[in-house]
Amino acid sequence: MSESMIAWSVYLVGALLLVLFGWRITRPLTRYPQWLFTVSIAVLLFTPFSLNLENHPSAYAPALFVAVLNSMFLGVEAGLDAAITLALIWLTALVLTLVLLLLTRKRQRGAPADTAK
């Protein structure tokens, strides 16, 4: 196994543990903030972004790290592409999660199932 595969394996295990930890610490919250917070952590940690390297065109890194490091060392414009990608994927994930939560909510007792007459 190559060094990069070992590094990615360690990163994925660590990121998964962070997502599970985030799920665990949000247990006292209601269902909506718990799911939205956990999805936010997962998107920030698992969204890939291409590094566009000349000698290795298929190199990827987490978009959060690319956005932060490119902004720090290459200027704000260099990190903006990764930040926009991350923001769009995050917004899409939050909307899909909210739709899923609304479709799977439990009906309140005593509420009529069909209000149209």
Side-chain angles (χ1 to χ4, degrees):
M1 199 191 280
S2 69
E3 290 180 11
S4 64
M5 288 298 288
I6 293 172
W8 276 112
S9 299
V10 169
Y11 177 79
L12 290 176
V13 168
L16 182 62
L17 288 174
L18 278 173
V19 170
L20 291 175
F21 179 73
W23 180 265
R24 175 78 175 139
I25 65 171
T26 57
R27 278 181 57 184
L29 300 176
T30 60
R31 185 173 170 228
Y32 291 95
Q34 181 183 25
W35 276 74
L36 295 175
F37 182 74
T38 304
V39 166
S40 296
I41 293 172
V43 166
L44 289 175
L45 293 175
F46 291 121
T47 301
F49 191 77
S50 176
L51 295 177
N52 295 326
L53 300 175
E54 292 176 12
N55 58 353
H56 200 320
S58 63
Y60 287 89
L64 177 65
F65 301 143
V66 172
V68 169
L69 293 175
N70 280 354
S71 295
M72 285 175 47
F73 296 115
L74 301 176
V76 176
E77 293 82 20
L80 198 56
D81 194 23
I84 290 172
T85 302
L86 185 62
L88 290 175
I89 292 174
W90 182 51
L91 182 64
T92 303
L94 289 180
V95 168
L96 290 175
T97 302
L98 192 56
V99 168
L100 175 74
L101 288 171
L102 291 174
L103 290 175
T104 60
R105 71 174 184 234
K106 296 178 183 174
R107 297 199 184 268
Q108 295 178 357
R109 286 187 173 211
D114 187 17
T115 58
K117 290 184 180 182

